[in-house]
Amino acid sequence: MTTYREAVREALREALIRDDRVFLMGEDVGAYGGCFGVSRGLLDEFGPERIRDTPLSESAFVGAGIGAALGGLRPIVEIMTVNFSLLALDQILNNAATLRHMSGGQLGVPLVIRMATGAGRQLGAQHSHSLEAFYAHIPGLRVLSPATVADARGMLWTALQDPDPVLIFEPIALYNSEAELPADAGAVDIDSAVIRRAGTDVTLVSYGGGLRVAEAAAEELAGDGISAEVIDLRTLRPLDEATVLASIARTHRLVVVDEGWRSVSISAEIAARAAENGYYLLDAPIARVCTAEVPIPYARQLEEAALPQPGVVAAAVRKAVS
Amino acid sequence: MPEFRMPSLGADMTEGTLLEWRVHEGDAVHKGDVVAEVDTTKAAIEVECFEDGVIGELLVPEGTTVPVGTPLATIEPPGAEPARRAAATPASVSPASASTVPVAPESPTAPAVPVAPHDQDGRESAFRATPLIHRIAAEAGIDLASVHGSAPGGRIVRADLDRAILERRGGNRAVVRASGYARRLADTAGVELADIVGSGPEGAVRAADVRAAVSGTEAAAPATDPAPVSNRPSSAAISAPEPGQHAAPQHDPAEVRKLIAAAMTRSKRTIPHYYLSSTIDMMAARNWLAEHNRQVPVTDRILPAALLLAAVARAVRTVPELNGHWIDDEFHPASHVHLGVVVSMRSGGIIVPTIPDADRLALPELMTALRGVAERARAVRLRSSDATPATITVTNLGDLGVDSVFGVIAAPQVAIVGFGAVTERPCAVDGLLGVRPQLTATLSADHRATDGAIGARFLHAVDTLLQTPEEL
């Protein structure tokens, strides 16, 4: 069995081995081994030139990453949690995402930024939010969220092939999750959503940390004879709308599970597109199960209460199919 | 409570001016009595009421121009209780007249009172509405008796009225709650969403309901609040050249009947008809059709009716004196041939959709158009193009086996062509007695616009065209 954390580490090792231009930088990625233990051991293996600790200045080291990418390297920048990434938003939005456009196509920024996202580990409001939607809003970026061990293993290398900036959101709650990973597991497609579970009665769309919830709900519903199809978006920008619509064409019902807040969220985007382009496929109102619109609480029970739970998803599905 | 409304006296009439009241509040009236004179901008027309009863209140003063459908007066059914009447009196246009509303006397001469079905159902709720609701309903021309009250005790609230107004404006589609998928399925299956009972939240129609309705496992329940046919594009239901069939209680045949009655009365009263008939040999047409239909898929087969329509559309191009409208004592020839086609409705009554530019359609196109308008007409779901004002009308009773039909002209058109059945008849052919398929074509035409000679020329043209069906 391989943990999600190990899968990410393997992906990093592979990238560092395969391409001399790749290096990892971020706060505590070296001597400390990464605040979630992802890069533990890499400093010993690859040395301080390629596993670089940075000062506590997101704007500075993301900017340095952009410069390195422009200079021909393939930097992987790690930001501890998405909350802190906002300090580098200017670099990400105004430089990384726009340089291709503003240089008339002359300058690409082949940069990969990894960051942890989401709640579930009692880290308090400032370390627990899911702000993927902020970045999925920005043209010029590709935004990924691996929800499985295999995707955690495979997405990084694919992302490094992209000539433009790619953001990878790793759900904090998944680092300890385990799955069998084939020895030859490698790069995965980052263009398409994937159907994690086939079903006929309802389409459950989710991504990242919400996927576990959707799958648990589907399992619960299967006991009641309700067949839920579970779609993992994998890529939040650009969205694979076709897979979602094709599924709705079979099930005619849509429930979106999103660990982000409901308002102006990924779930809002999915629902809007389903309504825009799948109106004549839908036989029930679209339902969304999202995180309560509060800062994520520290207390375990409150944190659980704020997050989407399988029971709530199952209830939303029952309402849609009833 | 029955209301006397500004009638539609023609396809193009949208409003009328009330010139003179011939009755007073409290007068007993009987079906067919002239109650008012209305100026339709073409002519002053005496209009009759369609109910027995007592004039309750004159809502529109003389000299006022109001849209078609606006209630002009209330008519109390004979024997209505005075207390109810008082409560039912809408907010008055002129307060003075409200105070003079007389107590309804028993109608002495109307022992059997014909009352439209929806009046009986809706009467209770009609009286449970505030004066404001009464006023809005009066302004919108909505009969409160036909509005379903959703508040406790069946009281009509603003939302009910809004719904009724919306319904009248856009048909039922606008207010039926249904999922997008259900709408698509219903559209594909050709069923009316309004006829399906929804099982979803707040009665929303869902895909399963449509499937059930289509498969018939769940009989499509009748709409609880049937929309009168007159709420549909009224221009379509204008003509009744044949006697109406027995009316089934659906789509408020009484309303349809009223429209037909008004249009036919107007036609027979104002148009001096002349009639011609001609026997047409259908041997060539029948043989050609049989041959054509043998070569095409079943779905592309052409019915004799389409051939007849094509012949009329092309013939009238050569006799333009019959194609147009008689307006303001003058004939206005039309530049296009918009063919009105009389369609009998299963529920009784008729509706007359139009095939626009029929003379320019190839025969297969005309067949498609005919099938389309007939289906939509029978579903009472016409499109606006189907309500294009016709320039000449065809009525075909051949499938009912009659030999000939002399139609009543749909004013302001000046002609209607009638076709009977194609039957084997003995006739002289090349100096010998033979048996051949023949058909009687008739023409009813407006003698103000044309004379028999022109009519004869037209029928001859139809005959000639039908002898060379391959050229149609």
Side-chain angles (χ1 to χ4, degrees):
Chain A
M1 295 291 270
T2 308
T3 64
Y4 190 97
R5 172 185 294 109
E6 289 161 0
V8 177
R9 186 185 302 142
E10 276 312 297
L12 286 166
R13 285 191 71 242
E14 181 203 13
L16 288 158
I17 291 167
R18 285 176 71 162
D19 190 337
D20 288 345
R21 298 173 300 172
V22 171
F23 69 98
L24 175 70
M25 69 172 160
E27 293 156 354
D28 284 339
V29 299
Y32 188 71
C35 68
F36 297 104
V38 168
S39 51
R40 191 164 297 150
L42 294 181
L43 177 63
D44 294 339
E45 190 174 349
F46 295 98
E49 287 285 305
R50 302 187 70 193
I51 309 294
R52 306 177 75 100
D53 278 324
T54 64
L56 289 174
S57 176
E58 282 77 8
S59 184
F61 68 73
V62 171
I66 293 168
L70 286 169
L73 297 180
R74 292 290 182 270
I76 302 169
V77 174
E78 179 181 314
I79 299 175
M80 279 187 191
T81 79
V82 65
N83 300 68
F84 308 152
S85 74
L86 299 183
L87 291 161
L89 185 58
D90 172 56
Q91 291 291 357
I92 297 171
L93 168 56
N94 289 323
N95 290 325
T98 51
L99 276 171
R100 167 81 65 193
H101 166 77
M102 297 188 72
S103 67
Q106 298 178 81
L107 299 178
V109 182
L111 167 72
V112 172
I113 303 175
R114 295 174 42 239
M115 57 185 111
T117 186
R121 297 280 298 275
Q122 279 196 276
L123 296 174
Q126 292 173 332
H127 306 79
S128 301
H129 289 152
S130 300
L131 305 181
E132 293 90 319
F134 284 36
Y135 294 97
H137 182 62
I138 302 169
L141 299 182
R142 179 185 283 270
V143 180
L144 314 176
S145 188
T148 63
V149 172
D151 277 1
R153 172 71 183 82
M155 278 187 178
L156 180 69
W157 183 250
T158 322
L160 281 166
Q161 312 307 305
D162 198 305
D164 292 307
V166 178
L167 273 54
I168 303 180
F169 289 86
E170 299 163 8
I172 290 171
L174 295 185
Y175 279 128
N176 287 333
S177 63
E178 286 184 318
E180 288 293 345
L181 193 64
D184 59 347
V188 299
D189 171 24
I190 56 170
D191 291 321
S192 336
V194 63
I195 296 172
R196 295 291 183 199
R197 180 190 182 110
T200 55
D201 294 331
V202 64
T203 297
L204 279 173
V205 171
S206 194
Y207 67 93
L211 181 66
R212 303 174 300 160
V213 179
E215 286 182 321
E219 191 62 40
E220 181 185 332
L221 290 161
D224 297 352
I226 298 171
S227 163
E229 181 146 301
V230 180
I231 291 181
D232 176 6
L233 291 173
R234 298 167 113 199
T235 302
L236 307 179
R237 183 184 189 94
L239 269 176
D240 177 9
E241 189 179 311
T243 297
V244 176
L245 289 175
S247 177
I248 299 173
R250 292 188 292 272
T251 66
H252 306 296
R253 296 173 187 85
L254 173 63
V255 175
V256 187
V257 182
D258 185 358
E259 206 182 306
W261 292 304
R262 175 188 301 255
S263 302
V264 202
S265 60
I266 300 287
S267 71
E269 182 65 25
I270 297 291
R273 294 202 190 194
E276 281 172 350
N277 302 320
Y279 178 76
Y280 292 103
L281 304 171
L282 286 167
D283 196 28
I286 299 163
R288 292 190 279 157
V289 181
C290 305
T291 289
E293 304 221 359
V294 295
I296 302 294
Y298 175 83
R300 179 175 300 285
Q301 293 88 338
L302 292 179
E303 187 180 45
E304 283 174 4
L307 294 173
Q309 298 296 336
V312 183
V313 176
V317 168
R318 288 196 187 93
K319 194 176 169 194
V321 302
S322 65
Chain B
M1 163 178 48
E3 280 167 333
F4 174 67
R5 296 156 185 254
M6 177 60 74
S8 172
L9 299 168
D12 48 353
M13 175 172 167
T14 57
E15 57 178 18
T17 304
L18 185 89
L19 292 178
E20 185 191 350
W21 280 113
R22 299 283 181 84
V23 292
H24 299 95
E25 292 172 0
D27 283 0
V29 290
H30 302 290
K31 185 171 167 13
D33 284 356
V34 172
V35 289
E37 192 174 59
V38 167
D39 189 348
T40 65
T41 72
K42 296 179 198 117
I45 292 173
E46 294 180 338
V47 292
E48 305 155 290
C49 69
F50 296 97
E51 281 106 8
D52 291 5
V54 175
I55 299 293
E57 183 181 5
L58 304 181
L59 298 168
V60 173
E62 290 180 352
T64 312
T65 303
V66 293
V68 167
T70 305
L72 301 175
T74 60
I75 298 178
E76 309 292 349
E81 290 168 30
R84 278 191 167 183
R85 289 192 52 247
T89 303
S92 169
V93 174
S94 58
S97 65
S99 61
T100 61
V101 170
V103 174
E106 285 285 335
S107 175
T109 56
V113 185
V115 182
H118 72 261
D119 290 333
Q120 286 173 335
D121 297 334
R123 180 159 300 131
E124 279 303 318
S125 57
F127 298 96
R128 297 175 200 251
T130 62
L132 175 69
I133 295 296
H134 276 287
R135 200 190 77 213
I136 295 170
E139 284 169 357
I142 298 276
D143 183 357
L144 276 184
S146 67
V147 178
H148 172 73
S150 65
R155 192 164 60 81
I156 297 169
V157 293
R158 183 68 183 269
D160 303 326
L161 201 55
D162 287 347
R163 200 176 305 120
I165 293 169
L166 200 68
E167 219 165 277
R168 209 178 54 157
R169 209 174 286 148
N172 279 331
R173 268 181 85 79
V175 291
V176 172
R177 292 175 64 91
S179 74
Y181 184 46
R183 283 183 196 280
R184 197 186 79 194
L185 284 182
D187 197 49
T188 309
V191 296
E192 188 69 53
L193 275 175
D195 297 338
I196 301 173
V197 174
S199 65
E202 296 177 58
V205 175
R206 297 190 291 190
D209 306 323
V210 178
R211 286 201 198 92
V214 169
S215 70
T217 53
E218 178 188 306
T224 51
D225 192 9
V229 165
S230 61
N231 292 348
R232 311 283 175 171
S234 63
S235 55
I238 49 168
S239 162
E242 75 223 54
Q245 297 158 326
H246 61 284
Q250 188 195 341
H251 293 308
D252 203 345
E255 286 292 321
V256 179
R257 209 65 253 160
K258 279 186 204 174
L259 280 173
I260 296 172
M264 292 306 95
T265 306
R266 177 183 180 221
S267 175
K268 278 291 199 175
R269 241 188 217 164
T270 58
I271 301 178
H273 290 60
Y274 71 86
Y275 304 98
L276 304 175
S277 86
S278 190
T279 301
I280 296 178
D281 191 283
M282 291 294 282
M283 183 75 103
R286 193 182 67 174
N287 290 346
W288 181 83
L289 265 187
E291 185 55 34
H292 173 88
N293 287 340
R294 219 190 337 269
Q295 292 168 2
V296 297
V298 175
T299 47
D300 292 350
R301 284 186 186 167
I302 292 171
L303 292 172
L307 204 62
L308 298 176
L309 291 183
V312 169
R314 282 155 181 69
V316 83
R317 233 172 20 195
T318 67
V319 190
E321 295 93 324
L322 293 174
N323 186 52
H325 303 104
W326 182 264
I327 297 170
D328 290 337
D329 291 332
E330 197 179 5
F331 177 66
H332 298 264
S335 51
H336 307 279
V337 180
H338 298 327
L339 210 55
V341 182
V342 181
V343 178
S344 293
M345 305 219 289
R346 295 190 187 94
S347 57
I350 52 162
I351 196 157
V352 189
T354 303
I355 298 177
D357 292 314
D359 58 324
R360 289 198 243 146
L361 297 180
L363 198 51
E365 294 170 340
L366 193 63
M367 183 64 221
T368 306
L370 173 64
R371 191 181 288 124
V373 295
E375 281 172 3
R376 291 194 293 277
R378 295 215 159 100
V380 200
R381 195 174 164 189
L382 291 169
R383 297 175 183 164
S384 57
S385 63
D386 299 335
T388 305
T391 57
I392 184 169
T393 298
V394 175
T395 178
N396 186 344
L397 286 186
D399 56 335
L400 296 177
V402 298
D403 283 340
S404 56
V405 48
F406 292 90
V408 177
I409 299 166
Q413 294 166 46
V414 297
I416 180 166
V417 185
F419 290 111
V422 179
T423 51
E424 299 282 335
R425 296 181 202 170
C427 64
V429 186
D430 296 332
L432 294 170
L433 194 61
V435 175
R436 297 177 63 108
Q438 295 195 312
L439 145 95
T440 303
T442 69
L443 174 74
S444 309
D446 187 337
H447 218 325
R448 298 172 301 181
T450 58
D451 308 312
I454 287 173
R457 205 146 49 101
F458 169 78
L459 282 182
H460 182 68
V462 172
D463 189 347
T464 307
L465 285 163
L466 286 172
Q467 300 316 313
T468 52
E470 65 280 1
E471 290 173 17
L472 282 171

